[in-house]
C-alpha cells in the first residue's frame, strides 16, 4: 500500500485554484488566485529569449546605483574617550562615543546613546559566557552572549564597560 503525505484533494479540471489549501501565499481579497496552467503547455518564446545587454558603457544612472556607497564620514572619537569592545568567534559588543553596536554572525544592530534606556551585564556562576543586554525605552531588550577566554575577564569587562557608560550614558 502506498502512503502519501499531505492532502489528497486536487482541484477539479477547469476550476480556478484558490485558497490557502492550494496556494499558501493566497490571502483572500489581497491576492489574485493563482492561474492554473495546463501541464502540456509550452513556455512562450518571450520567456525563453534572453534580454540582450546594451553595448558600450552603461548609463550614468546605472553606474551610480551599481557603485558601492561610500561610507559616511564618521565622527572622530574624543581624545582619550573610553571604548569597550568584547568579542568571541561569533559575537561582538562595542560601546564607544557613537553608541552601542551588537553583532552576532551576520546580524548587526546599532543604538545611539539616546536610544538606550539601560545596559545590563550578567556573569554566570559556572561557565564562561558573559551576557550583555541592551534595553531600549520602548521596553525591548537585546541580549548578546560573549564567550570569554577565562572567567577572570568578566571583572575586567565589567570595569571597562562601566567606564564607557559613565562617560557617555546619561540617565534621564
Amino acid at each position: 500500500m502506498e502512503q502519501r503525505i499531505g492532502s489528497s484533494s486536487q482541484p477539479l479540471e477547469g476550476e480556478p485554484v484558490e485558497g490557502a489549501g492550494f496556494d499558501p501565499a493566497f490571502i483572500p481579497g489581497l491576492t489574485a488566485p493563482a492561474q492554473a496552467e495546463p501541464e502540456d503547455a509550452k513556455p512562450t518564446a518571450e520567456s525563453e529569449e534572453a534580454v540582450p545587454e546594451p553595448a558600450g558603457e552603461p548609463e550614468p544612472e546605472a553606474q551610480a546605483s551599481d557603485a558601492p556607497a561610500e561610507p559616511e564620514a564618521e565622527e572622530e572619537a574624543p581624545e582619550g574617550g573610553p571604548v569597550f569592545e568584547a568579542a568571541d568567534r561569533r559575537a561582538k559588543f562595542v560601546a564607544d562615543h557613537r553608541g552601542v553596536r551588537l553583532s552576532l554572525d551576520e546580524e548587526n544592530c546599532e543604538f545611539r546613546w539616546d536610544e538606550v534606556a539601560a545596559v545590563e551585564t550578567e556573569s554566570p556562576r559556572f561557565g564562561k559566557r558573559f551576557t550583555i543586554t541592551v534595553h531600549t525605552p520602548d521596553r525591548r531588550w537585546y541580549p548578546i552572549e560573549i564567550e570569554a577566554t577565562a572567567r577572570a575577564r568578566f571583572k575586567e569587562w565589567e570595569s571597562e564597560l562601566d567606564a564607557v557608560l559613565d562617560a557617555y550614558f546619561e540617565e534621564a
Side-chain angles (χ1 to χ4, degrees):
M1 178 177 192
E2 189 174 324
Q3 200 172 27
R4 295 179 188 233
I5 297 174
S7 176
S8 62
S9 64
Q10 298 294 325
L12 298 175
E13 193 67 36
E15 284 190 21
V17 178
E18 64 180 59
F22 299 106
D23 183 8
F26 176 74
I27 301 171
L30 291 179
T31 57
Q35 298 297 326
E37 293 184 24
E39 293 176 7
D40 59 340
K42 294 183 180 178
T44 61
E46 293 174 359
S47 64
E48 290 178 359
E49 292 179 12
V51 178
E53 291 291 322
E57 292 186 20
E59 297 177 17
E61 297 164 2
Q63 286 179 348
S65 65
D66 293 342
E70 293 182 21
E72 297 177 9
E74 296 183 14
E75 299 175 21
E76 292 298 319
E79 194 164 319
V83 175
F84 172 71
E85 184 173 338
D88 65 6
R89 61 186 170 77
R90 293 183 61 202
K92 183 176 182 178
F93 179 89
V94 178
D96 59 11
H97 70 285
R98 293 188 309 172
V100 176
R101 291 179 298 287
L102 307 172
S103 302
L104 180 62
D105 295 331
E106 299 297 319
E107 301 297 321
N108 301 311
C109 62
E110 184 171 342
F111 303 97
R112 295 182 318 266
W113 285 112
D114 61 340
E115 297 175 319
V116 176
V119 177
E120 177 184 15
T121 61
E122 181 181 349
S123 52
R125 186 172 180 188
F126 303 106
K128 296 188 284 186
R129 290 192 175 265
F130 186 69
T131 304
I132 302 171
T133 307
V134 177
H135 295 270
T136 59
D138 59 350
R139 296 187 181 184
R140 294 185 183 266
W141 59 93
Y142 302 87
I144 191 163
E145 289 185 339
I146 300 172
E147 191 168 341
T149 54
R151 289 186 52 83
R153 296 284 312 234
F154 292 164
K155 289 188 180 192
E156 177 187 333
W157 282 350
E158 289 216 13
S159 64
E160 288 177 14
L161 182 58
D162 282 343
V164 172
L165 293 175
D166 289 343
Y168 302 118
F169 184 68
E170 297 176 8
E171 289 189 47

